[in-house]
Amino acid sequence: MKQFISVDDVPGVPRMVDIALDYKKNPFKDKGLGAQKTLGMIFLNPSLRTRLSTQVAARNLGMEVIVFNIGKEGWALEMNDGVVMNGSTTEHVKEAAAVMGQYFDILSIRTFPGLVDKAEDYTEKYIQQFIKYAGKPVISLESATLHPLQSLTDALTIRETWQENRKPKVVMTWAPHVKALPQAVPNSFAEWMNNWDEVDFSITHPEGYELDPKFVGNAPVIYNQQEALKDADYIYVKNWSSYKDYGQIINSDSSWMLTNKHLEVTNNAKVMHCLPVRRNLVIADEVLDGPNSIVVQEAGNRTWAAQAVISEILRNQ
Ligand SMILES: CCC[C@H](NC(=O)CCC(=O)O)C(=O)O
Ligand SMILES: NC(=O)OP(=O)(O)O
């Protein structure tokens, strides 16, 4: 594996889930694989789970890890080629990425979307600039339109918790929020579920929140949440801003917040969320504090997903 930006970079979802679960069973089986190697973790946006779990994963493989909050600690980056840098940007990504490529064996980076220019965000301009100039393998820590480490985590969490010999019904539901959030997590979850024949995947959201069709694929989209949640085995809850009216909050209907009432129509569904979650806005306390929530186990699995990805890239070096 030469990079990890999307599901297209992996040798199949089932294979990656197998590798990650193997690491969960035996975290230090490859503790020499990353010896004398350094992982650089570059954040343009906040993080808890991604930063901590990926650091643990790299250390399990014997790597050194250097974390850099470029937005706070570095120079203001210019991402546009060919501009006259006489404004607020101090360093061009051409130099910054190339220099980091001198220090690190693998570069990982978080670059949220601006949610203003759809073309700029959906061409993944920022992370692509780092890939273009770093000269080393790049792992996405969430980019403008995808969050593949989260999606691999979500797949392995479903695999490890599903006990029946039929495909689980997995429903991704939109939920309200007070901020305009990226479509990265839902896009990524949809593309991973659509590339995994172990689940029966569908999506529910209010009209106007349709995701980019290239990620939705053939997944059924149901605008009636109660109808969509019927007999669900897993509910994947996430807010996202409108893709059509780009970056806008066009509906904040609180009836879409997940409550125990919503669970009544399901098959005692397990509730998942990538975290951080706004309690009693996105998911009610009674659900997060109840027996159906697996959000902490899901977050714990971030380590094994990251370890699978880093090990596959190290093996390719
Ligand atoms: C892993 C999720 C990261 C990010 N979440 C947020 O930005 C939440 C911010 C908030 O709730 O204020 C998102 O929705 O893509
Ligand atoms: N789910 C996730 O990526 O969490 P952080 O934003 O805290 O890293």
Side-chain angles (χ1 to χ4, degrees):
M1 205 159 75
K2 297 190 182 323
Q3 65 176 29
F4 186 68
I5 309 299
S6 85
V7 73
D8 299 333
D9 295 314
V10 304
V13 175
R15 171 96 184 102
M16 287 308 287
V17 169
D18 292 341
I19 295 169
L21 286 172
D22 280 349
Y23 278 122
K24 184 166 187 175
K25 289 192 199 90
N26 191 351
F28 303 110
K29 67 176 182 153
D30 291 327
K31 66 181 184 309
L33 188 61
Q36 283 88 47
K37 299 259 173 113
T38 303
L39 170 70
M41 298 184 72
I42 313 302
F43 289 89
L44 280 73
N45 312 94
S47 170
L48 185 153
R49 280 143 292 273
T50 304
R51 171 169 174 169
L52 300 179
S53 63
T54 307
Q55 273 191 261
V56 171
R59 286 175 59 237
N60 288 350
L61 294 165
M63 292 187 87
E64 288 296 322
V65 180
I66 293 178
V67 180
F68 188 48
N69 298 306
I70 202 161
K72 297 195 189 91
E73 301 162 300
W75 300 104
L77 285 185
E78 177 56 62
M79 292 293 188
N80 297 299
D81 292 345
V83 298
V84 175
M85 290 174 58
N86 57 4
S88 58
T89 55
T90 318
E91 179 160 27
H92 200 278
V93 66
K94 281 185 180 181
E95 281 75 41
V99 166
M100 287 191 270
Q102 296 290 306
Y103 303 146
F104 307 135
D105 297 284
I106 301 174
L107 201 61
S108 56
I109 181 148
R110 169 165 281 197
T111 60
F112 285 179
L115 289 176
V116 174
D117 183 334
K118 185 191 277 192
E120 177 173 89
D121 290 342
Y122 273 72
T123 53
E124 288 287 11
K125 177 175 177 178
Y126 284 15
I127 199 165
Q128 288 301 328
Q129 288 284 69
F130 277 93
I131 292 169
K132 188 172 166 186
Y133 297 119
K136 290 285 170 52
V138 172
I139 294 172
S140 167
L141 300 176
E142 184 176 347
S143 64
T145 68
L146 293 171
H147 194 353
L149 279 175
Q150 185 61 53
S151 304
L152 172 52
T153 298
D154 298 329
L156 83 87
T157 303
I158 292 168
R159 167 85 75 75
E160 76 170 350
T161 55
W162 184 241
Q163 310 296 336
E164 299 183 39
N165 61 3
R166 63 174 173 85
K167 287 185 182 183
K169 180 176 180 181
V170 177
V171 182
M172 176 165 74
T173 180
W174 178 91
H177 203 289
V178 291
K179 273 171 64 177
L181 298 189
Q183 298 96 31
V185 168
N187 286 344
S188 198
F189 187 71
E191 81 162 3
W192 281 69
M193 292 301 111
N194 285 332
N195 280 276
W196 192 31
D197 65 0
E198 296 180 28
V199 297
D200 171 13
F201 176 58
S202 57
I203 303 170
T204 184
H205 57 66
E207 297 201 30
Y209 280 110
E210 293 76 9
L211 294 166
D212 184 339
K214 78 176 174 188
F215 299 120
V216 174
N218 296 322
V221 176
I222 300 124
Y223 294 115
N224 179 312
Q225 188 185 38
Q226 283 301 89
E227 181 191 316
L229 293 177
K230 191 161 173 12
D231 302 327
D233 298 299
Y234 291 86
I235 307 176
Y236 194 83
V237 190
K238 186 68 180 76
N239 167 267
W240 63 87
S241 59
S242 177
Y243 170 72
K244 203 154 57 172
D245 299 316
Y246 194 60
Q248 299 305 306
I249 298 175
I250 55 172
N251 172 328
S252 45
D253 179 352
S254 59
S255 73
W256 282 76
M257 176 183 75
L258 202 76
T259 66
N260 282 340
K261 185 91 181 103
H262 291 79
L263 296 181
E264 286 174 10
V265 299
T266 73
N267 181 34
N268 192 29
K270 290 180 172 46
V271 176
M272 298 175 72
H273 188 285
C274 62
L275 304 181
V277 68
R278 299 284 194 112
R279 280 176 167 256
N280 305 312
L281 174 69
V282 176
I283 302 176
D285 276 342
E286 61 186 16
V287 173
L288 286 167
D289 298 331
N292 294 68
S293 171
I294 59 171
V295 300
V296 172
Q297 178 180 350
E298 179 185 358
N301 283 334
R302 287 294 305 272
T303 301
W304 319 118
Q307 198 164 334
V309 169
I310 296 167
S311 67
E312 284 297 291
I313 287 183
L314 285 170
R315 290 185 210 285
N316 188 61
Q317 286 196 319

